[in-house]
Amino acid sequence: NAGVTQTPKFQVLKTGQSMTLQCAQDMNHEYMSWYRQDPGMGLRLIHYSVGAGITDQGEVPNGYNVSRSTTEDFPLRLLSAAPSQTSVYFCASGERGGEQFFGPGTRLTVL
Amino acid sequence: QQQVKQSPQSLIVQKGGISIINCAYENTAFDYFPWYQQFPGKGPALLIAIRPDVSEKKEGRFTISFNKSAKQFSLHIMDSQPGDSATYFCAASGGATNKLIFGTGTLLAVQP
């Protein structure tokens, strides 16, 4: 099993550009989530999904969109990147209310 | 507002000493309290977790103490080793959504 995979590992964007961070898991988990990690702020929940077709907002959803068309994939979209979105992004999957498995992260810089 | 408050922000411990990290929460619907360990350049990984039906859980050198009435829980690392040097996050989830909410993290350095 590959576990949770994320692509790309690094990305540099210019302000206003759009992009999609990819996340996939092969553990058949219903629950998936996206976090951003910033110094001194810990891990903050952006969006989460409890199953295909079902998504909801986390603590810091503004500027991000998600969709969940399959159990395996949970992409995160930045429609118009801003410097405030410079961060490390982690995708996770797991059992609802249980252990979450994290991907290796995507380091995003917005100039 | 911060739903899970973690302290200290950083901690330096001598090899063989005890590392203690504390967390407090507000939401009484939380019923799952994990601790995650993160090494530089890696994603967080589950270290140990507890549910509120017990007051303490021990796995090797790692122990969670849980105080439901005070809405606090803590991680104790006994006989701390340089390999334990990492960032530690407490978290909590529960209620209708089971969203997993993290604390702000503690950077632990164990000096040899």
Side-chain angles (χ1 to χ4, degrees):
Chain A
N1 286 352
V4 179
T5 58
Q6 292 183 238
T7 56
K9 291 187 177 181
F10 302 93
Q11 183 70 49
V12 179
L13 291 178
K14 294 181 179 179
T15 297
Q17 287 185 315
S18 63
M19 80 159 295
T20 299
L21 280 63
Q22 301 293 342
C23 174
Q25 53 98 3
D26 61 0
M27 297 173 281
N28 202 34
H29 289 145
E30 292 296 324
Y31 188 88
M32 296 186 72
S33 53
W34 276 101
Y35 291 86
R36 60 177 290 173
Q37 182 173 17
D38 303 289
M41 305 291 286
L43 291 149
R44 292 182 292 169
L45 181 64
I46 304 171
H47 285 286
Y48 67 100
S49 169
V50 298
I54 306 170
T55 64
D56 204 349
Q57 297 181 349
E59 302 168 280
V60 288
N62 293 341
Y64 307 95
N65 280 354
V66 292
S67 60
R68 183 94 180 271
S69 57
T70 68
T71 299
E72 294 78 20
D73 300 298
F74 190 41
L76 178 71
R77 298 184 186 84
L78 284 70
L79 299 180
S80 179
S84 61
Q85 293 178 305
T86 293
S87 187
V88 181
Y89 291 85
F90 288 100
C91 177
S93 77
E95 298 300 325
R96 192 169 173 178
E99 180 177 1
Q100 301 301 303
F101 296 86
F102 283 79
T106 294
R107 186 174 295 274
L108 175 67
T109 301
V110 182
L111 302 176
Chain B
Q1 73 281 16
Q2 193 73 33
Q3 293 193 49
V4 180
K5 296 184 179 180
Q6 183 173 347
S7 63
Q9 192 171 17
S10 63
L11 182 62
I12 300 174
V13 173
Q14 296 298 315
K15 179 182 176 181
I18 302 174
S19 304
I20 302 174
I21 305 170
N22 300 299
C23 280
Y25 64 97
E26 292 294 327
N27 189 344
T28 56
F30 287 151
D31 60 5
Y32 175 67
F33 302 90
W35 285 90
Y36 280 78
Q37 181 187 54
Q38 184 183 33
F39 293 104
K42 303 293 185 182
L46 180 68
L47 184 64
I48 187 172
I50 197 169
R51 296 194 186 271
D53 53 339
V54 296
S55 61
E56 185 175 283
K57 183 175 181 180
K58 183 176 181 179
E59 291 183 0
R61 296 184 293 109
F62 301 93
T63 299
I64 298 180
S65 297
F66 183 78
N67 186 330
K68 187 174 182 178
S69 61
K71 292 186 287 185
Q72 295 176 347
F73 59 110
S74 60
L75 175 69
H76 296 234
I77 305 174
M78 311 299 289
D79 187 26
S80 298
Q81 299 297 312
D84 297 331
S85 298
T87 300
Y88 292 82
F89 293 96
C90 63
S93 71
T97 65
N98 269 304
K99 293 185 291 187
L100 186 62
I101 304 299
F102 282 83
T104 51
T106 296
L107 180 61
L108 171 66
V110 181
Q111 294 185 336

